Amino acid sequence: MQNKIYLVAQPNSGKTTLFNLLAGENCYVANWPGKTVEVFQAKIQHHGKEILLVDLPGINSFKTLGREEELTKEFILKEEEGVAVIILNGESLYRSLYFAIQVLEMKSRAILAINKSDYLDKKGVHVNLQVLKDRLGVEVVQISALKGSGINQLMDRIMDILEGRVKTKKLKIDYGALEQYIVRVEQILGDRSLAIKAVEGEEEILALLTEAQRSEVEKIKKEISQKFANPEEIIAVHRYKFVEELLSSSVKEVRVAKASFEERLDNLFFSKLGGVLSILILFSTLFIALSVNTGFPLNLIMRSIGYHAFAEILEEYSLAGMISMLFGSLSHFLDQNFPDSVLKDLLTNGIIAGIGAVATFFPLVLIINFFVSLIEDSGLMTRIAISMDRFFAIFGLTGKSVFPFGVNLACNVPGVMTSRILESDGERLRVALASPFVICQARLLVIILLAVFFLTPPLLQSGVIVSIYLLSTLIFLLATKFYGKFFREEKSELLLEMPPYHFPSLRIAWWITWTRSKSFIFKIAQFLLFFAIFAWLLEYFGIAELIGAIIARAFSPFGLEDPRIGFALLMGFFAKELIISSLAVSFGTADLVQISSQLSLTIPQATALIIFIAFYTPCAATISAIYSELRNYKLLLFSIALQLMIAYSLAFLSFIFLSFL
């Protein structure tokens, strides 16, 4: 039988840090047997013995919210193999112990690891491990996953349990007046821990019973309800009492006053200005990430103050600029050194273009994920989420949704992927589906160019752009509410523990960044490459112009029947930047003034076109990113149809309104 270790903990306990420390480079992602939920696993060695290390999703309580938490709960209730390593957060022992004792009531093969010993030492907290061991019936080890202390001792104790040198047992807590009923249910189920959960009303336990067992248990529960108003509350009171007694006998704490800087910062976060501070942090992060990746918007600032040369350097030597230059050089090399053929055209205009598009996205995904992981690990994420929670709660979201929303302003692809930080599975999918309604950087550039050259009055130009942004925010929030009808979670709850401020670990931040980002290449690149080759086939066989004419007919109510506009909108489905290049190729000039004069669009027509471009499907990469989260083609196609319908409706309404002015 393979040796197995399962890491079990609440969020912010340092579980990921411990897993990363133990796993090293051996980490891989695997589906939990019989589930679609992915978990991190690693094969590690200790004293020559191979061990499978499994990082189970963090769980706040046994009142589960999403699929990930259900998986951890299922393991605690049913899995008998291996050793459960229950990680306690040294920064909040009381809360961690309350969770741990519930696990220990159900798991006999377990060990307690009190993490963040460096924090405990700093705060003058002394823990008597022997007292905890005697009272809980399991091995207790104090570690610091961040500093790497106590890890060998932890692994030695785990091997002692795996190889039978140390015997552990399930924890038994006296529940006072409820004991007689728990004993009766235990006689029916054959297990005390299942009996306690059944008395608490745990639906997963009741669902496992036979009809006869359920009938007997329900009779006992009815007796309990006649005598006690809330048996679950009575059980909770006894558990809290047990934890209080346990801590008073095993923990001696020298209280240290909280740092005044932290107090002032917390007071600011939770004041009326907290939302403003949170937005500033978010937009500063996006500003740096965008400027490093594309040069924008720092290049515009430099130009506005007269540093044109510096702005050009930013654009040319940004990460996206250098990657585009590299793939452009490769395409030029093939064009110059290979004879004309279908294969050459496919390579230069299809495959290389497709791979190049993915490659220019990747640095932005990497940088944003890195910054988000730093914010998470520093303690700022919790404060930002709480400060924004009241506003987002109006739409059934939590304050954490501000992060994917903000990242979407840079690019919808990493915006969709950043939705993974959300606790609830339902909220994650709703935010991912609504992400295309947030105006990204690529659409912003197209909107600005078209507004400047197609709309003459400056007031109208700025009015249209500002209106589009306000509309996009409102539609994003309303869409998350609407998509809630497709998932069980209609309303999410923000369950967060307030961690102290601390300098983030760069090693852990990078590990989280790479784990989150590499899926972009392996999952989305294939999909985007397919679309690039598909677009090439349309152009190569002359079908694109025909399709462009068909698409343009749909815009006849606006007077936009030019096939070249239809073809540009088709190309914009693959990437919004292609709209400008497509118009340039179709009209034989890159001068938008000439294109504008040839089209001769009225203000209502131009405004309708700009609004449609702003709100219809952002790009194929975003669709691919959403599918990687959703894994549901029907719902994905429905979301695309909804985007097209909203974009068309808004464009039509704007055309009608402006036509009557």
Side-chain angles (χ1 to χ4, degrees):
M1 183 177 69
Q2 187 179 25
N3 292 320
K4 294 182 181 179
I5 301 174
Y6 299 90
L7 302 183
V8 181
Q10 294 176 300
N12 296 320
S13 297
K15 177 173 62 65
T16 301
T17 307
L18 178 60
F19 177 81
N20 182 44
L21 182 67
L22 293 173
E25 300 296 324
N26 303 312
C27 171
Y28 62 93
V29 179
N31 277 336
W32 187 261
K35 299 281 184 180
T36 57
V37 179
E38 294 179 337
V39 295
F40 291 111
Q41 298 185 11
K43 289 183 179 179
I44 62 175
Q45 296 274 341
H46 186 69
H47 295 330
K49 303 291 177 64
E50 187 177 87
I51 303 168
L52 178 65
L53 179 67
V54 182
D55 181 19
L56 293 172
I59 176 172
N60 269 301
S61 71
F62 284 83
K63 298 295 180 184
T64 54
L65 295 173
R67 287 185 302 163
E68 288 83 1
E69 290 176 314
E70 285 178 3
L71 184 152
T72 303
K73 184 176 175 181
E74 182 183 278
F75 160 78
I76 294 169
L77 290 172
K78 300 176 184 178
E79 184 66 50
E80 294 297 330
E81 281 190 330
V83 173
V85 179
I86 308 165
I87 303 164
L88 270 62
N89 186 350
E91 296 170 351
S92 56
L93 283 174
Y94 187 91
R95 183 170 176 269
S96 293
L97 265 174
Y98 184 83
F99 170 77
I101 63 171
Q102 293 180 74
V103 181
L104 291 174
E105 282 185 301
M106 291 177 276
K107 307 295 292 185
S108 59
R109 288 163 62 85
I111 184 170
L112 222 59
I114 303 175
N115 193 23
K116 305 184 183 180
S117 60
D118 50 331
Y119 170 86
L120 294 172
D121 293 340
K122 183 180 177 181
K123 294 295 182 181
V125 178
H126 304 280
V127 183
N128 190 323
L129 303 181
Q130 189 61 44
V131 171
L132 285 177
K133 177 182 175 181
D134 294 341
R135 293 289 301 277
L136 297 174
V138 295
E139 293 290 321
V140 184
V141 180
Q142 197 165 313
I143 66 169
S144 171
L146 187 62
K147 303 293 184 182
S149 62
I151 303 302
N152 282 333
Q153 185 185 6
L154 172 64
M155 291 302 300
D156 287 344
R157 297 294 80 74
I158 290 171
M159 292 307 300
D160 286 341
I161 299 169
L162 285 171
E163 296 177 353
R165 291 188 293 273
V166 170
K167 300 297 181 184
T168 55
K169 59 183 179 181
K170 289 184 180 180
L171 177 65
K172 183 175 180 179
I173 298 173
D174 188 344
Y175 289 107
L178 289 178
E179 273 298 323
Q180 58 175 312
Y181 302 102
I182 292 172
V183 170
R184 286 167 59 189
V185 177
E186 183 183 356
Q187 290 172 350
I188 298 169
L189 304 184
D191 185 275
R192 177 179 171 83
S193 61
L194 296 182
I196 294 168
K197 287 298 173 188
V199 171
E200 285 185 283
E202 192 69 58
E203 292 297 331
E204 284 85 347
I205 298 299
L206 297 175
L208 296 173
L209 307 183
T210 64
E211 192 173 332
Q213 286 176 321
R214 192 180 298 111
S215 176
E216 290 298 316
V217 170
E218 289 296 339
K219 286 179 184 177
I220 298 172
K221 287 184 66 181
K222 191 173 181 181
E223 286 182 46
I224 297 172
S225 62
Q226 289 173 348
K227 192 170 182 180
F228 305 100
N230 192 337
E232 188 177 359
E233 188 176 309
I234 295 172
I235 290 174
V237 168
H238 279 86
R239 283 179 181 151
Y240 279 120
K241 185 180 178 182
F242 179 85
V243 171
E244 287 170 358
E245 292 174 350
L246 191 62
L247 286 174
S248 65
S249 63
S250 62
V251 177
K252 302 299 178 186
E253 181 177 357
V254 179
R255 296 193 177 275
V256 179
K258 196 175 183 181
S260 59
F261 172 76
E262 292 185 5
E263 285 181 345
R264 289 197 299 270
L265 198 53
D266 274 348
N267 289 337
L268 182 58
F269 264 115
F270 305 135
S271 70
K272 292 180 180 179
L273 295 175
V276 176
L277 178 60
S278 299
I279 294 295
L280 283 174
I281 293 172
L282 178 63
F283 276 90
S284 297
T285 301
L286 293 176
F287 180 87
I288 296 169
L290 281 170
S291 296
V292 171
N293 191 64
T294 64
F296 174 87
L298 186 57
N299 59 340
L300 297 183
I301 296 172
M302 291 296 106
R303 277 201 174 89
S304 67
I305 59 177
Y307 291 95
H308 297 280
F310 186 68
E312 289 177 7
I313 291 171
L314 278 174
E315 293 163 1
E316 188 174 353
Y317 294 102
S318 66
L319 291 176
M322 289 190 290
I323 291 171
S324 295
M325 193 186 304
L326 175 65
F327 280 92
S329 300
L330 179 60
S331 182
H332 180 73
F333 174 79
L334 291 175
D335 189 51
Q336 295 294 317
N337 293 279
F338 287 86
D340 291 340
S341 65
V342 176
L343 179 61
K344 173 186 170 181
D345 201 61
L346 172 62
L347 285 172
T348 56
N349 298 320
I351 294 175
I352 291 176
I355 296 174
V358 175
T360 54
F361 270 116
F362 189 66
L364 184 60
V365 173
L366 201 69
I367 294 166
I368 286 177
N369 275 330
F370 182 69
F371 279 127
V372 169
S373 65
L374 289 177
I375 292 171
E376 283 181 304
D377 198 33
S378 67
L380 285 173
M381 174 74 82
T382 304
R383 274 102 180 155
I384 294 172
I386 292 172
S387 68
M388 299 298 295
D389 189 59
R390 184 176 297 177
F391 172 73
F392 279 91
I394 298 171
F395 302 92
L397 302 172
T398 62
K400 269 194 171 185
S401 295
V402 72
F403 280 93
F405 170 77
V407 172
N408 273 301
L409 292 170
C411 177
N412 293 135
V413 175
V416 171
M417 297 175 69
T418 307
S419 66
R420 294 177 184 178
I421 70 170
L422 301 175
E423 305 288 347
S424 162
D425 193 50
E427 183 179 9
R428 176 177 62 84
L429 295 176
R430 288 159 55 200
V431 169
L433 281 166
S435 289
F437 292 114
V438 182
I439 305 300
C440 62
Q441 178 200 0
R443 278 182 284 180
L444 172 63
L445 294 175
V446 175
I447 290 166
I448 290 174
L449 283 172
L450 295 182
V452 167
F453 290 102
F454 286 15
L455 301 173
T456 315
L459 186 62
L460 181 61
Q461 293 171 357
S462 58
V464 167
I465 293 170
V466 170
S467 298
I468 284 172
Y469 263 99
L470 292 175
L471 262 176
S472 74
T473 302
L474 179 61
I475 293 171
F476 166 79
L477 293 170
L478 292 175
T480 60
K481 190 76 173 173
F482 170 74
Y483 282 125
K485 299 181 184 296
F486 294 92
F487 306 104
R488 277 187 289 172
E489 294 94 345
E490 179 60 30
K491 187 177 186 301
S492 299
E493 296 179 6
L494 187 66
L495 299 173
L496 295 173
E497 180 186 345
M498 190 70 69
Y501 295 100
H502 61 276
F503 191 81
S505 166
L506 297 179
R507 177 169 54 87
I508 299 304
W510 170 248
W511 181 76
I512 294 172
T513 298
W514 177 244
T515 301
R516 288 175 177 171
S517 302
K518 65 182 179 182
S519 62
F520 173 78
I521 286 292
F522 298 121
K523 292 181 180 179
I524 295 175
Q526 302 170 25
F527 198 76
L528 191 58
L529 184 60
F530 166 78
F531 271 103
I533 295 173
F534 178 69
W536 173 83
L537 288 170
L538 291 179
E539 286 199 62
Y540 187 82
F541 291 106
I543 304 171
E545 188 175 351
L546 176 63
I547 295 175
I550 295 170
I551 292 171
R553 287 178 190 171
F555 295 89
S556 57
F558 312 142
L560 302 173
E561 296 178 318
D562 194 314
R564 293 170 293 188
I565 292 177
F567 178 66
L569 293 176
L570 170 66
M571 297 309 294
F573 178 83
F574 301 107
K576 283 294 176 283
E577 301 92 330
L578 296 178
I579 290 176
I580 302 299
S581 60
S582 175
L583 288 172
V585 171
S586 298
F587 283 89
T589 176
D591 190 343
L592 283 175
V593 175
Q594 292 185 31
I595 294 173
S596 176
S597 63
Q598 289 184 53
L599 283 172
S600 299
L601 300 180
T602 64
I603 287 177
Q605 288 174 333
T607 304
L609 177 62
I610 291 169
I611 288 176
F612 182 81
I613 288 171
F615 288 102
Y616 86 100
T617 308
C619 62
T622 300
I623 297 304
S624 176
I626 293 173
Y627 177 71
S628 71
E629 301 299 319
L630 200 65
R631 295 293 176 185
N632 186 321
Y633 274 117
K634 290 182 179 178
L635 196 51
L636 178 67
L637 291 174
F638 174 80
S639 71
I640 295 171
L642 182 65
Q643 293 157 32
L644 291 171
M645 184 187 74
I646 289 175
Y648 192 90
S649 300
L650 290 174
F652 182 73
L653 289 172
S654 68
F655 177 78
I656 296 296
F657 177 74
L658 291 173
S659 295
F660 282 99
L661 289 180

